[in-house]
Every structure is written in C-alpha cells, then in structure tokens.
Amino acid sequence: MITLQGVSKSYSGETSAVEAVSMHIREGSIHGIIGPSGAGKSTLLRIMNVLERPDRGSVLVDGQDLMQMTEADLRSLRRQMGMVFQQFHLLHNRTVSGNVAIPLEMAREPKKSRAERVQECLRFVGLEDKAKEYPASLSGGQKQRVAIARALAPRPRVLLCDEPTSSLDPGTTMEVLNVLRHANESLGVTIVIVTHEMEVIRAICNEVTVMDRGRIVDSFPLEQARAQGSGIVLSYREQLLGKAVMPGD
Ligand SMILES: Nc1ncnc2c1ncn2[C@@H]1O[C@H](COP(=O)(O)OP(=O)(O)O)[C@@H](O)[C@H]1O
Ligand SMILES: [Mg+2]
C-alpha cells in the first residue's frame, strides 16, 4: 500500500539521514522497522506521509505519487494515515474523550456522531471508563492507548507508529502492542512500527526491515519467528529467525 522508491533525505547536506531507500509496506501487514538510534527510522516514517519531504525519490500510496499532490490533497490523505508517538502527545488540558475527539473536530464531524465515535474508539482500546479523566491521572500504557484511540478515530487505513512503547515498562508494552494487533486483525489497519526493541518486533510484526546509517541493510518476513540467541554478534535476522545465516543464503 505504501511504496518508497529511491528515497533520500539529508538535513545538513553532508551525511544523509535516509539514503536511497526503496521498500514496500504490504496492505494488512504489521511491518517493523528496526535499527540503532540515528539509523534514520523516524525520518523514514515521516517520509511515508510526507511530513518530511525527501530530497529525492518517490512516495506512492496505492500507486498515487504523494510528491505530485497538492497540499490540500495531502492533508486529506494524511487523515488515512494515523500517527502514534513515543511521548503520546496528548493535550493535558483536555479530558481523554476531548483528546480522542481532536481529529474529528478537525474533520468537522457533527457533534453527535463525533461523541459516538469517541466512545467507540475508547471502548476499542479498553478505556471507556476513563473518558472524563485527564491524561495526568493515567498510566503510561493508558496514555498511549488514548493516543491510539485518537489516531483510530478518523478510521485510518494505516497507523505509523514511532517507538510507541519505548517509554513504557515491559508489562504495559504488551498492553499497547495487543491493542495495535487488535486494530490490525479486527479493523484491517496496516501498521508500521519503528522501534529499536527486538521484543516489539518479535511480539507482533510479520515483516521486518532493518536500517543502519540511513540504509536498509536487511528485510525479511517473520511468519515463523523463533526467539533464540542473545549475543550482540548475531544479526537482527539471526536473532529474530533463530538461525545463523549461512554464506550463500
Ligand atoms: N530535524 C532534524 N534536523 C537535523 N538533523 C536531523 C533531524 N532529524 C534527524 N536528524 C538526523 O538524521 C539522522 C537520523 O535520525 P532519525 O531519523 O531520528 O533516526 P532514528 O529514528 O533511527 O534514531 C540522525 O543523524 C539525526 O541526528
Ligand atoms: Mg527515532
């Protein structure tokens, strides 16, 4: 559904944050992008909905070239591409339902259907009973579930998630990952998830792209993921597939 062709982006002009990246996000997949800090993962994710304009290359969504679109068309396309961030980005002076309502207000949805949709989304993430609370009274995992409910409110076809569990402890990480999986399985939402945590990939991804220094260094499906190995000498592929890669593989 999302195709990047030869995409490059540099901020300073010397080293590229993203260099000649081509990849495809399959509709209905949960696609992990993993790599060390500074690899270019966040930049690549922002390129997918052209929040960041690449210097070169093209970004296609269902075959449509985003680089050729007007700002108005881009804005409406971005509504089909929800975003979830590490730091949640909730508004602290608004209640939980007030936060989930934001994208619906921006889309000028009528008040009644807006309220129904907010309730539906909070039910989906298991936080219906928190509707009237303020973000400050929630745990990190609950805040992230509110952010996911907000991202799902305009019925996006894809969620772009940047380190969605990196501020959370292992228990709440699973609670958030389960909600993302649920969105994928029951709503058919395609999920792209940027992370530096192997556990996140193991838990929910069925496709993996490995990035390092702006480039894709590996990519593979993860249907039979078997967790093995712990040493840093193993590649991401070896750790995730649980086998050594033989020369010629
Ligand atoms: N807005 C920016 N301005 C200047 N340099 C940036 C900006 N965003 C990212 N970079 C640089 O681009 C490179 C890739 O960053 P980033 O995409 O954030 O990587 P990752 O998410 O994998 O940690 C890093 O060297 C980073 O310092
Ligand atoms: Mg990042």
Side-chain angles (χ1 to χ4, degrees), residues 65-127:
D65 189 345
L66 271 56
M67 305 295 285
Q68 308 297 330
M69 283 182 157
T70 62
E71 263 310 311
D73 285 345
L74 263 182
R75 269 197 300 277
S76 76
L77 186 111
R78 284 196 193 108
R79 257 177 236 138
Q80 301 174 29
M81 306 177 84
M83 293 198 90
V84 177
F85 305 94
Q86 179 174 356
Q87 298 303 339
F88 325 127
H89 294 187
L90 298 178
L91 296 184
H92 294 280
N93 56 353
R94 279 194 167 216
T95 61
V96 162
S97 9
N99 271 278
V100 177
I102 292 169
L104 303 174
E105 291 166 10
M106 280 164 49
R108 298 178 196 286
E109 179 129 355
K111 206 168 178 183
K112 182 159 180 291
S113 61
R114 199 161 78 203
E116 283 166 6
R117 181 63 184 156
V118 166
Q119 197 183 21
E120 198 170 66
C121 290
L122 284 176
R123 196 179 315 130
F124 187 85
V125 302
L127 290 175

Side-chain angles (χ1 to χ4, degrees), residues 177-208:
L177 294 180
N178 285 336
V179 167
L180 291 175
R181 194 208 319 259
H182 184 35
N184 175 258
E185 288 176 353
S186 70
L187 307 174
V189 178
T190 302
I191 312 259
V192 184
I193 180 163
V194 157
T195 184
H196 64 277
E197 298 171 310
M198 198 78 72
E199 285 313 317
V200 169
I201 304 276
R202 274 202 194 106
I204 59 165
C205 295
N206 41 43
E207 317 230 348
V208 193

Side-chain angles (χ1 to χ4, degrees), residues 1 7 23 26 31 40 76 81 83 86 100 107 120 130 136 139 151 164 167 185 193 202 235 241 244 248:
M1 97 174 273
V7 164
M23 68 183 292
R26 188 171 52 80
H31 193 125
S76 76
M81 306 177 84
M83 293 198 90
Q86 179 174 356
V100 177
E120 198 170 66
K130 303 285 184 195
S139 71
S167 325
E185 288 176 353
I193 180 163
R202 274 202 194 106
S235 69
L241 295 178

